[in-house]
Amino acid sequence: MNKSLICVLLLSFCLFNVSKSFNNFVTDSWISIVISGLENAPKPVSLHSAALNPINNTMIVFGGKDSNHVPNNNVTIYDLIQDSWLEKNTNSNHTALNLAGSIPSPRYGHIALTNSDNKMYIFGGRNQTNVFNDIYKYNMITDNWELIIVTGNLPKARWGHSGVVYSINNCFYIYGGSNTLSRDGPFLNDIIKFDFERNEWIQMTPTDDSELFAPKIGLFLHTSVFTLTNEMIVFGGKYKNGNQSSTVSDVTYIFDADNEKWVNATLNSTSSIPDARYGHTAVLTPLGTMLVFAGNDSTSNAVSSVWRYHIAYGKWDFVSSIGSGGPDARSGHTSITTLFNTMITFGGQSSGTKYYNDLYKYNIINSVLRSSSDGTTLVVLLSLVGAMIIGLCFALDYITEKNEIARLERLEKDAIAKNNELELKKIKKERKEKQLQPLFEKF
């Protein structure tokens, strides 16, 4: 088959599929996946933690509670490349490496944070009778735990708090939560730092101008993400004002980690206002936006809506998440971003008594380029690139045939000069077969 024809067919096929895919790209950001190893999956669970292991592209799930509010301290690993739950570690070294007291007790409502040394830290949480302020380190390579012996003033025990990693300064920032077993407060309003190089807790002392923009009252079951400009973005959660019943927040706060103070987080005048929620998740996207998914609303009913916060512009907008393959409304789930620009959401609970151990994948880039105008622009650009490639194919094909004919003409002259009738006849036949025709007649 002619090279030009092959190029045209391939380009047409690619552009058709890109256009078809982009239609889904606009309307449906949830990706259907087939999960294997379901026999190794965690049981239905809520208020657990999940963290990305970037070395081997796995998600590590720890702890949580079941529908009877019984906590666990299990570690379960999900392979993000194979989309498979892995078998639990039965290596004898696993037991030998974990000394008595080195493994966290069963808990939920804790946080999991990872540093650049491929260590996962577990802080806080609760069981049926106690709230914790201990911190553990999990080596994601050797699969062993270590109870950290810390220095500095211990923070208050808490659960339902949030935390972010500031890798450049080798520390974590932890904010809010509840110091009691009650879901109705009072809630904590402090921000503390943990130096994971020195294993030291450091209490932040806010300045007067920082207090102006700080949350006025504590938050519980809110979220935090850390931006590329070293800011912690806090959103949502429950709060309690005096003796009033707890209320659900729709406010965004910003903590500047470089200067260690709260800063102005005024919304753009054109911004929508997100639904108030708690028990939701939030992740940072590759293009510097924060994606918020699900949670409970102000009536404690679970929702499944997705909102996006443009950090640089202080602007919220609603992201349509309608489509096949999406999760049910839930709270107490986890969401992490992967190295493949996707968000993995796992577990959680419904508004009622149903608990989940299902897993969903969301295309984060879809949530960034989701409008029809973006789709039109991309398709036009791809069409222009395709036209250039097709034109190049035709040009190369034309030059190749011209060179081939010139070669045969030279051979023909040589054959005439040598009076080689047999060779001349052969060349004329080949030249006739190679005769250049108008390009589009070949189709």
Side-chain angles (χ1 to χ4, degrees):
M1 184 181 291
N2 186 277
K3 292 189 293 295
S4 299
L5 178 59
I6 294 173
C7 289
V8 171
L9 291 176
L10 286 175
L11 256 296
S12 300
F13 177 79
C14 291
L15 287 173
F16 171 77
N17 280 280
V18 167
S19 300
K20 183 178 179 182
S21 298
F22 202 84
N23 184 49
N24 292 332
F25 187 78
V26 173
T27 59
D28 185 3
S29 292
W30 291 104
I31 305 170
S32 298
I33 54 176
V34 177
I35 302 172
S36 59
L38 292 175
E39 66 279 6
N40 303 315
K43 294 179 180 179
V45 67
S46 176
L47 293 176
H48 50 290
S49 65
L52 172 69
N53 180 351
I55 302 300
N56 57 10
N57 285 303
T58 57
M59 177 180 69
I60 300 178
V61 176
F62 171 76
K65 68 182 179 92
D66 61 20
S67 57
N68 295 315
H69 305 285
V70 177
N72 73 78
N73 61 349
N74 300 328
V75 173
T76 316
I77 300 177
Y78 182 79
D79 189 321
L80 297 167
I81 297 178
Q82 302 297 327
D83 282 319
S84 175
W85 290 103
L86 303 180
E87 290 186 46
K88 292 179 174 60
N89 194 333
T90 56
N91 191 310
S92 59
N93 289 333
H94 175 68
T95 303
L97 286 170
N98 290 285
L99 304 176
S102 66
I103 300 177
S105 59
R107 64 189 62 203
Y108 62 91
H110 56 281
I111 58 170
L113 300 170
T114 58
N115 67 5
S116 55
D117 294 331
N118 213 41
K119 306 295 192 301
M120 179 179 75
Y121 290 76
I122 297 295
F123 170 69
R126 61 164 288 183
N127 59 19
Q128 296 98 322
T129 56
N130 295 301
V131 182
F132 305 112
N133 65 347
D134 48 8
I135 185 167
Y136 292 83
K137 180 168 63 176
Y138 176 73
N139 189 316
M140 295 188 284
I141 298 175
T142 61
D143 188 33
N144 71 291
W145 287 98
E146 175 189 348
L147 172 62
I148 298 178
I149 306 302
V150 300
T151 61
N153 295 324
L154 286 176
K156 291 182 178 180
R158 66 194 65 208
W159 67 289
H161 49 293
S162 67
V164 295
V165 183
Y166 190 8
S167 298
I168 296 176
N169 284 1
N170 298 319
C171 67
F172 307 133
Y173 288 101
I174 293 166
Y175 171 72
S178 176
N179 183 233
T180 71
L181 296 174
S182 172
R183 282 176 167 264
D184 291 316
F187 305 131
L188 299 172
N189 196 30
D190 57 346
I191 184 165
I192 51 177
K193 179 167 70 172
F194 180 74
D195 186 321
F196 55 76
E197 287 239 326
R198 297 183 294 177
N199 291 336
E200 179 183 12
W201 285 109
I202 303 168
Q203 189 76 37
M204 297 289 95
T205 303
T207 59
D208 290 340
D209 60 336
S210 177
E211 283 292 292
L212 179 65
F213 305 113
K216 299 299 182 290
I217 43 184
L219 294 173
F220 171 67
L221 292 177
H222 55 286
T223 55
S224 297
V225 302
F226 199 69
T227 73
L228 301 176
T229 53
N230 303 329
E231 293 174 328
M232 178 175 71
I233 310 294
V234 176
F235 172 71
K238 296 179 78 173
Y239 66 92
K240 188 172 184 179
N241 195 353
N243 294 323
Q244 298 178 2
S245 299
S246 58
T247 308
V248 183
S249 172
D250 61 359
V251 181
T252 306
Y253 298 95
I254 300 177
F255 180 79
D256 180 353
D258 286 332
N259 298 297
E260 295 189 336
K261 66 177 185 177
W262 295 97
V263 296
N264 192 358
T266 302
L267 289 181
N268 188 295
S269 60
T270 63
S271 176
S272 301
I273 304 296
D275 301 324
R277 64 186 67 198
Y278 67 95
H280 53 286
T281 57
V283 298
L284 185 70
T285 76
L287 297 187
T289 59
M290 179 176 71
L291 199 67
V292 170
F293 168 63
N296 286 329
D297 63 17
S298 56
T299 63
S300 294
N301 287 318
V303 298
S304 61
S305 58
V306 180
W307 282 80
R308 178 178 60 222
Y309 179 65
H310 299 267
I311 296 168
Y313 306 106
K315 183 178 179 181
W316 285 95
D317 60 29
F318 176 75
V319 178
S320 174
S321 58
I322 299 173
S324 60
D328 296 332
R330 64 190 62 206
S331 67
H333 53 291
T334 54
S335 296
I336 67 164
T337 52
T338 74
L339 301 179
F340 313 108
N341 294 332
T342 56
M343 176 178 74
I344 300 295
T345 292
F346 170 71
Q349 64 189 89
S350 68
S351 303
T353 58
K354 185 174 183 179
Y355 279 56
Y356 300 102
N357 68 342
D358 49 5
L359 186 145
Y360 293 89
K361 185 182 295 187
Y362 190 91
N363 192 326
I364 291 177
I365 297 299
N366 287 6
S367 72
V368 177
L369 301 176
R370 60 177 287 273
S371 70
S372 57
S373 60
D374 289 336
T376 302
T377 301
L378 183 60
V379 171
V380 168
L381 289 174
L382 289 172
S383 300
L384 290 174
V385 172
M388 292 173 62
I389 295 174
I390 292 173
L392 180 61
C393 289
F394 275 117
L396 291 174
D397 189 58
Y398 181 83
I399 293 171
T400 300
E401 293 196 42
K402 291 289 287 184
N403 290 338
E404 180 67 13
I405 290 175
R407 182 185 69 84
L408 292 174
E409 287 178 346
R410 289 194 301 270
L411 292 175
E412 185 177 8
K413 289 179 181 179
D414 290 342
I416 292 173
K418 295 176 181 179
N419 199 23
N420 188 336
E421 292 292 336
L422 183 61
E423 183 68 18
L424 184 60
K425 185 177 180 180
K426 179 181 177 182
I427 292 170
K428 285 183 177 180
K429 181 180 179 182
E430 185 177 354
R431 183 179 175 185
K432 185 177 180 181
E433 292 174 351
K434 296 282 186 179
Q435 184 65 41
L436 185 65
Q437 301 174 16
L439 289 176
F440 288 101
E441 288 185 9
K442 298 180 181 182
F443 300 106

